[in-house]
Amino acid sequence: MLERLNWHSQAVGGKGRRHLYIAAGLTFVLSCYFLARHFYALQEPEIEAAEVAEVPPLPKGLPPLYAAYHDVELRLPQQDWTRTEPAPGEKFFFVAGHTRALGWGNAVQEHILNAYLAYKAGRSFVFGNFTWNDDGSLYSDYEGSGKIIPSQIPYSVLLRGPIVGEAFPFGIDAPLAVSRDYFDHLCPNKVEFARQDIHANLTSPNSVAEITETWASLLKNLDEPCVQSTLDSGPIYSHHDIWGVRTSLLDAWEDLKQSPFLTQFGWSPLVELAFDTNRDLFTSSSEPYLSSTPFTTNADRYTPIPGLMVIHVRRGDYATHCRTLAMWSEDFVSVNAFPGMRDPFAVPPHAEWGNNTPENVEVYRRRCLPTVAEIVRKVAEVRAEPAARGVRRLYIMTNGRPEYIRELKDALHEVGEWEMIASSRDLVLSWEQKYVSHAVDLLVAQRAQILLGNGFSTLTSNAVMMRMANGFPTDSTRFW
């Protein structure tokens, strides 16, 4: 059973109505989505049977495999399956060493920069799947916890826009993204470049602008249409060199935020329907449902939700992860450390990498894994500021256990009057939505009037990136 809400005063909406939205809305919206993206498929040759394999029936209780989404990606209109080699002028780029076995926050921020790089190089971006495990298995055991997850999830389950092969907005003349399957179909033989070779002569290995320009210059000057990075050389934009370095994104930020991969960034119909179904947790507004609203731009679609504060309370693996961050003297994830952000973090002086003092470990603990009492104090402090005027609802973005969330909710109610306090555990989700619920949390966090996040988290940083790109006030984003 999902944890019940602490209403304390009144019930708003109801689970019965939200279940009805799932039953009717999911069928309608996803049908429209697939029909729209299949529009051109009627005019195209059939894809060979080998390309769209039948998925055998699976035992009940296993995670979904999202085969229908993969099928839609295969049928993108820019993919001509009758061809056996690239058309004249077609050029592609795939980052074969993309992130694996890391959380979705890590993967999506890298995915955005990989698409941006291909765009700057004038090549079609080749997108694969969000990948936990690419050994050919359908399912994986998440970090040995016994929790079974899909080994791979198509990015179109989570995202929409040019980053998954949809059209660029009017006025942008650039090659459209294609699926990895199509790339492999056209390009059995590929030219490969190792990350370490390309980065060997960089002036700064921590500059997104220099890394992007170096790769883009190389790719622009190549006649070969089929190019990828080597599988064993890892991500082009690694956490060690980019996301874990506070200055890394600064020199490219103004250009990146105006690129179509941020201005046209959107959440998939599946994710938006989950938001619509549960929106009585976030807002009492009567604004139109996202599911029934045509997409225009990231900023126009995902406007602030007045009265909502979102807090990111990471638990589970962070009980040990925060100590690991202290041992290696890690900084806030780069966008969380941009100049002008409130609640800045200064890495404490340390004697050696891989070790730290108890005092420094405690500094990290307070900023990374605050106690219930510390959370309550910080929420009260932020809520008292002008940027939080009118905040009446609180949403807890968390992987915490139900008993912990109950304790936290009770403590928050005791020190302040709230119209509602809800958490990730209160979401009513379909089976497909359950395994991408972090994207639903991110959509809510992106739109909150106030976001109080974890500066060490890539999940927080993705929400912060979108808030910054969409012009949210700096003082509306805070950190523990």
Side-chain angles (χ1 to χ4, degrees):
M1 292 290 291
L2 291 173
E3 179 195 2
R4 302 297 296 180
L5 293 174
N6 278 334
W7 299 106
H8 276 250
S9 57
Q10 59 184 9
V12 180
K15 287 194 175 181
R17 186 175 66 187
R18 285 189 269 140
H19 280 298
L20 179 62
Y21 292 155
I22 289 178
L26 182 59
T27 301
F28 174 74
V29 173
L30 292 183
S31 296
C32 291
Y33 174 59
F34 292 139
L35 285 172
R37 292 192 66 174
H38 280 253
F39 177 78
Y40 293 99
L42 297 175
Q43 306 171 33
E44 295 185 344
E46 286 294 320
I47 301 172
E48 295 178 6
E51 302 294 344
V52 187
E54 288 293 327
V55 178
L58 296 167
K60 292 183 179 179
L62 287 173
L65 294 175
Y66 306 101
Y69 291 84
H70 183 63
D71 187 24
V72 170
E73 292 179 359
L74 293 178
R75 296 179 184 275
L76 288 168
Q78 62 268 30
Q79 299 178 162
D80 181 357
W81 291 87
T82 64
R83 300 197 63 87
T84 56
E85 61 183 18
E90 279 190 324
K91 292 184 177 182
F92 306 93
F93 181 59
F94 175 55
V95 180
H98 63 80
T99 291
R100 291 161 172 79
L102 289 176
W104 190 75
N106 299 79
V108 74
Q109 62 190 11
E110 181 204 0
H111 194 64
I112 290 170
L113 283 187
N114 289 343
Y116 173 68
L117 167 54
Y119 172 72
K120 300 297 283 187
R123 287 177 175 256
S124 288
F125 172 55
V126 178
F127 63 93
N129 298 321
F130 165 59
T131 303
W132 185 261
N133 192 339
D134 63 357
D135 64 355
S137 63
L138 296 178
Y139 303 103
S140 294
D141 183 348
Y142 177 70
E143 294 186 336
S145 65
K147 178 182 178 182
I148 303 303
I149 61 172
S151 292
Q152 299 190 42
I153 297 176
Y155 270 108
S156 60
V157 175
L158 299 131
L159 307 176
R160 75 192 309 167
I163 203 166
V164 287
E166 294 182 14
F168 286 103
F170 179 78
I172 294 182
D173 183 18
L176 301 180
V178 300
S179 67
R180 182 184 177 181
D181 287 315
Y182 184 67
F183 175 60
D184 288 341
H185 170 74
L186 288 187
C187 301
N189 300 307
K190 306 170 181 72
V191 174
E192 294 190 330
F193 293 93
R195 174 184 179 275
Q196 58 269 26
D197 294 338
I198 307 304
H199 291 207
N201 296 316
L202 292 175
T203 303
S204 172
N206 310 121
S207 164
V208 168
E210 185 178 356
I211 291 171
T212 303
E213 176 54 34
T214 300
W215 277 92
S217 177
L218 168 71
L219 295 170
K220 283 178 183 177
N221 292 324
L222 282 177
D223 292 329
E224 288 81 356
C226 306
V227 182
Q228 66 180 25
S229 67
T230 57
L231 175 64
D232 60 1
S233 62
I236 290 174
Y237 303 98
S238 69
H239 182 83
H240 179 269
D241 289 335
I242 300 302
W243 302 104
V245 179
R246 65 171 52 216
T247 59
S248 63
L249 200 57
L250 283 173
D251 55 6
W253 175 245
E254 288 303 315
D255 189 57
L256 176 63
K257 76 176 184 180
Q258 296 175 53
S259 77
F261 303 107
L262 289 189
T263 63
Q264 302 301 121
F265 179 93
W267 298 103
S268 72
L270 183 70
V271 173
E272 289 190 345
L273 181 60
F275 175 90
D276 286 344
T277 302
N278 292 278
R279 74 174 189 169
D280 57 330
L281 303 181
F282 324 127
T283 179
S284 57
S285 168
S286 58
E287 68 176 30
Y289 289 99
L290 291 175
S291 302
S292 63
T293 306
F295 186 88
T296 53
T297 67
N298 187 351
D300 288 345
R301 191 170 190 80
Y302 307 122
T303 54
I305 299 175
L308 177 67
M309 177 187 289
V310 170
I311 61 175
H312 186 190
V313 180
R314 185 74 175 262
R315 284 301 184 266
D317 60 322
Y318 264 42
T320 56
H321 183 61
C322 293
R323 182 175 179 83
T324 301
L325 295 173
M327 291 298 104
W328 293 98
S329 296
E330 290 281 345
D331 203 348
F332 271 7
V333 179
S334 66
V335 292
N336 297 339
F338 266 21
M341 299 298 285
R342 299 287 301 274
D343 309 305
F345 178 72
V347 176
H350 59 280
E352 59 178 321
W353 296 106
N355 198 7
N356 220 325
T357 65
E359 294 78 15
N360 284 350
V361 171
E362 176 61 13
V363 169
Y364 276 87
R365 202 274 312 154
R366 287 195 301 270
R367 302 300 301 271
C368 183
L369 196 73
T371 64
V372 168
E374 289 166 340
I375 291 171
V376 170
R377 282 197 298 271
K378 186 67 176 182
V379 168
E381 171 194 322
V382 172
R383 195 181 183 193
E385 296 203 2
R389 186 175 294 115
V391 164
R392 298 286 298 165
R393 291 181 178 229
L394 183 67
Y395 181 74
I396 306 168
M397 185 167 73
T398 186
N399 62 341
R401 298 182 65 82
E403 57 271 22
Y404 170 80
I405 299 171
R406 283 193 293 270
E407 177 189 358
L408 178 57
K409 284 182 178 180
D410 289 342
L412 288 162
H413 272 298
E414 287 175 4
V415 298
E417 185 176 337
W418 298 93
E419 182 179 305
M420 181 182 291
I421 298 178
S423 81
S424 305
R425 297 279 183 182
D426 296 313
L427 295 174
V428 174
L429 302 170
S430 71
W431 192 237
E432 285 190 327
Q433 290 165 344
K434 176 182 177 180
Y435 290 89
V436 294
S437 61
H438 44 276
V440 183
D441 275 349
L442 276 176
L443 170 51
V444 180
Q446 175 182 341
R447 297 189 61 191
Q449 178 179 332
I450 297 292
L451 170 62
L452 176 51
N454 189 317
F456 298 104
S457 166
T458 55
L459 208 61
T460 285
S461 70
N462 276 284
V464 173
M465 179 186 293
M466 296 305 160
R467 293 168 70 86
M468 293 173 63
N470 290 347
F472 280 51
T474 304
D475 61 357
S476 73
T477 300
R478 305 292 300 273
F479 303 100
W480 302 117

